[in-house]
Amino acid sequence: MFKRIVNSIVMILAIIGSVAAQPTWLASLSIETTNLNNTLYFGGSPTATDLFDVGLDSLAPPAPPSNYYAYLQIADPNFSNLSQDIRAWTSPYNGSIDWTLVVTNAEGIETTISWDSGELPAQGSFTIGGVGSINMRTQSSIVFTGNQILTVQYR
């Protein structure tokens, strides 16, 4: 009897530990110009800057300053951060999500956006569109000039 109780407790602790240990993911987008190096983060981690965290983020970022600026915003008008929270997202996430990356006040400025495909969850596809359609698993950067609205798509 005692052995069964101990085994049950060990099993419960193992289940609790595996649930608590499920990792969330965080991917970075490095935005570089001649005079600026900025990093934005998207994903299931509470430290992401992707505007999906209930009670932490909002649907619209603050107004950009008058100089070069890049920020992530929600692209899907049907997405509600009041009903969907991806802070505990573990791969694969059941659904499609679009993140919009806005680069503004960039007239005449060449921008390089780079990422590490190893930071993306193993399942699902990630593409970045707006300057072509790029598979984020096989390419690690894009370069463009001027203002752009890019979309990172998870399917």
Side-chain angles (χ1 to χ4, degrees):
M1 176 75 164
F2 179 73
K3 185 177 181 181
R4 235 177 12 189
I5 291 172
V6 169
N7 286 341
S8 296
I9 291 171
V10 168
M11 202 156 52
I12 289 169
L13 290 175
I15 291 169
I16 291 170
S18 69
V19 170
Q22 285 184 339
T24 59
W25 63 276
L26 185 67
S28 60
L29 295 172
S30 176
I31 298 124
E32 297 179 33
T33 69
T34 306
N35 299 321
L36 175 75
N37 186 0
N38 188 21
T39 303
L40 298 174
Y41 299 92
F42 68 100
S45 171
T47 58
T49 53
D50 61 12
L51 306 176
F52 283 96
D53 300 324
V54 174
L56 298 177
D57 296 316
S58 61
L59 286 170
S66 59
N67 54 359
Y68 182 99
Y69 193 67
Y71 61 90
L72 285 162
Q73 71 178 20
I74 295 173
D76 183 355
N78 297 317
F79 184 90
S80 169
N81 73 341
L82 299 176
S83 64
Q84 190 172 5
D85 181 359
I86 67 168
R87 280 179 289 181
W89 177 356
T90 56
S91 183
Y93 185 72
N94 296 324
S96 297
I97 295 181
D98 291 350
W99 291 270
T100 298
L101 174 60
V102 179
V103 177
T104 189
N105 295 321
E107 296 83 8
I109 297 173
E110 183 177 273
T111 299
T112 301
I113 298 178
S114 56
W115 57 89
D116 178 357
S117 63
E119 294 177 340
L120 302 173
Q123 284 93 12
S125 67
F126 285 86
T127 58
I128 189 165
V131 186
S133 181
I134 292 144
N135 181 338
M136 294 179 72
R137 295 193 188 283
T138 60
Q139 189 169 328
S140 62
S141 67
I142 58 172
V143 178
F144 57 88
T145 301
N147 295 334
Q148 288 292 333
I149 297 177
L150 307 168
T151 303
V152 175
Q153 297 177 329
Y154 169 79
R155 302 290 183 263

